[in-house]
Amino acid sequence: MAELRPSLNDQKDKIWDIPTVTKVKAFLWRASSEALPVVDLLKIRGMKGDSRCQICGEEGESINHVLFTCTVARQIWALSRFPSPMGGFDAFSVYSNLSYLFNMGKSRILPQQIKRLFPWILWRIWKNRNFFPFEARAFHPLETQQKIEDDAKKLSMAQIVDNERE
């Protein structure tokens, strides 16, 4: 019997409305489509290799693990000014975690400079994950947090310049 899962179409549609660059939107779409090359998905497709997380060494590397529950990801989320869910991120559902982020991104309570961070947090966590095995280097969570702030600030400044030209 097939596992019952919610439709992801509404969530995927929301991605294209996020005020960020196209490469980050495409990355978010791939994350929500379970189309990122993580160990768990590569194994399903028949590839052999180490089944542990490329960053923390924990057994199993899912998209949800890399972006939300890996020890490094949790450190980066804790350092960010973006509010985490009560009780922390869901340990198993990337869908639930992305839904939470999208909802918080629409919050009227959070300042705009905080709301714009979550796509960049996810992007930098993913970039760090790829730097480690391919370039044999990792970024410290504090350094990553600074890059996230810089990315978000650059995009905001570019949007201001674009608005002034119109």
Side-chain angles (χ1 to χ4, degrees):
M1 180 191 240
E3 180 182 342
L4 294 176
R5 300 174 72 183
S7 171
L8 301 178
N9 291 337
D10 288 343
Q11 187 176 74
K12 290 177 184 177
D13 288 343
K14 291 177 186 176
I15 291 169
W16 305 110
D17 295 330
I18 296 171
T20 192
V21 296
T22 303
K23 70 179 180 183
V24 174
K25 290 178 186 184
F27 158 73
L28 293 172
W29 189 89
R30 286 192 309 271
S32 69
S33 300
E34 295 187 4
L36 293 177
V38 293
V39 172
D40 289 359
L41 294 176
L42 294 174
K43 283 177 62 178
I44 290 170
R45 290 173 175 87
M47 295 188 75
K48 298 193 184 324
D50 191 351
S51 61
R52 294 174 293 175
C53 173
Q54 302 296 300
I55 296 174
C56 72
E58 186 177 305
E59 191 62 35
E61 184 193 63
S62 66
I63 293 170
N64 193 63
H65 174 79
V66 170
L67 298 178
F68 298 103
T69 63
C70 177
T71 55
V72 174
R74 287 195 335 252
Q75 289 174 359
I76 293 168
W77 282 107
L79 289 169
S80 77
R81 296 178 292 148
F82 200 90
S84 293
M86 294 287 273
F89 286 107
D90 188 295
F92 303 103
S93 176
V94 71
Y95 174 84
S96 294
N97 292 331
L98 289 174
S99 289
Y100 169 80
L101 296 176
F102 296 151
N103 289 336
M104 292 304 290
K106 300 243 183 236
S107 169
R108 292 184 176 151
I109 298 169
L110 284 179
Q112 191 63 33
Q113 68 267 22
I114 302 297
K115 291 193 288 190
R116 70 177 187 219
L117 291 177
F118 86 84
W120 294 106
I121 296 168
L122 294 168
W123 175 251
R124 283 293 174 178
I125 290 171
W126 181 249
K127 297 273 291 182
N128 282 357
R129 181 260 183 211
N130 290 332
F131 273 124
F132 189 71
F134 298 119
E135 297 187 23
R137 67 181 177 133
F139 293 99
H140 188 278
L142 286 172
E143 182 182 357
T144 300
Q145 187 56 38
Q146 186 57 55
K147 288 178 179 289
I148 291 165
E149 296 281 343
D150 292 346
D151 290 341
K153 186 176 180 179
K154 285 177 189 172
L155 178 64
S156 180
M157 290 170 56
Q159 289 172 334
I160 290 169
V161 169
D162 283 348
N163 289 340
E164 288 175 355
R165 289 183 185 163
E166 293 176 355

